[in-house]
Amino acid sequence: MAKTKVLPKAKKPMSMEDIGYNIIFGILFTLLALLCAYPFYYLLICTISNNQMVEVGAITWRPVGIHFGNYKEILKVENLGNSVLITLARTVLGTGVSVFATAYTAYFFTKQEMWGKKFWYRFCVATMYFSAGMIPIYLNNRIG
């Protein structure tokens, strides 16, 4: 049996509409990426800039009076390592438990013989419509 060699398809040249589309959406997505990344950049330059310059709002695009004293002060905080470990554990465990519970519930909703399926399904849907903070927010707005 002879092996046949499959030749790759020749690339079709891009039309003017495709080029325009790529340029316009490339610019839009670049601007969106910069818009999303700027707050993190601003936070970084504010932490390494002169504190008085940050307080008066003189920092916008580049740091002024670079120093790392703020980071030295953070490292002096007691139980910082413990706080970081608790944060990481809550994030990892919370995400894992949430994903597991959601997958487990979704699996049982696919089963026809699930006990009380109609009730539990409506219960889950109702909790999506009414958030846990709805009643306290209502009470605060009504009284205040």
Side-chain angles (χ1 to χ4, degrees), residues 72-129:
K72 290 176 187 173
E73 290 297 319
I74 287 283
L75 293 175
K76 292 178 186 176
V77 173
E78 286 185 35
N79 296 327
L80 180 67
N82 192 27
S83 301
V84 170
L85 287 176
I86 290 172
T87 301
L88 288 173
R90 288 187 65 173
T91 302
V92 171
L93 290 174
T95 303
V97 168
S98 295
V99 169
F100 177 77
T102 303
Y104 195 69
T105 306
Y107 171 75
F108 279 110
F109 282 148
T110 63
K111 301 298 173 191
Q112 293 298 322
E113 63 274 0
M114 178 182 167
W115 174 82
K117 177 180 177 178
K118 196 177 204 181
F119 167 77
W120 289 112
Y121 183 75
R122 288 182 179 168
F123 179 76
C124 287
V125 170
T127 59
M128 288 190 277
Y129 287 120

Side-chain angles (χ1 to χ4, degrees), residues 11-85:
K11 273 195 169 181
K12 189 170 102 175
M14 289 192 349
S15 67
M16 289 304 289
E17 289 123 7
D18 290 340
I19 293 171
Y21 175 85
N22 287 343
I23 290 172
I24 289 171
F25 280 96
I27 291 170
L28 285 175
F29 287 131
T30 301
L31 289 174
L32 182 64
L34 291 174
L35 187 67
C36 291
Y38 180 73
F40 297 104
Y41 171 72
Y42 183 72
L43 180 68
L44 177 69
I45 64 172
C46 282
T47 59
I48 63 173
S49 293
N50 185 344
N51 294 337
Q52 286 78 26
M53 299 299 282
V54 173
E55 286 176 9
V56 297
I59 308 299
T60 52
W61 291 106
R62 59 185 180 85
V64 176
I66 296 175
H67 69 92
F68 295 98
N70 294 331
Y71 291 104
K72 290 176 187 173
E73 290 297 319
I74 287 283
L75 293 175
K76 292 178 186 176
V77 173
E78 286 185 35
N79 296 327
L80 180 67
N82 192 27
S83 301
V84 170
L85 287 176

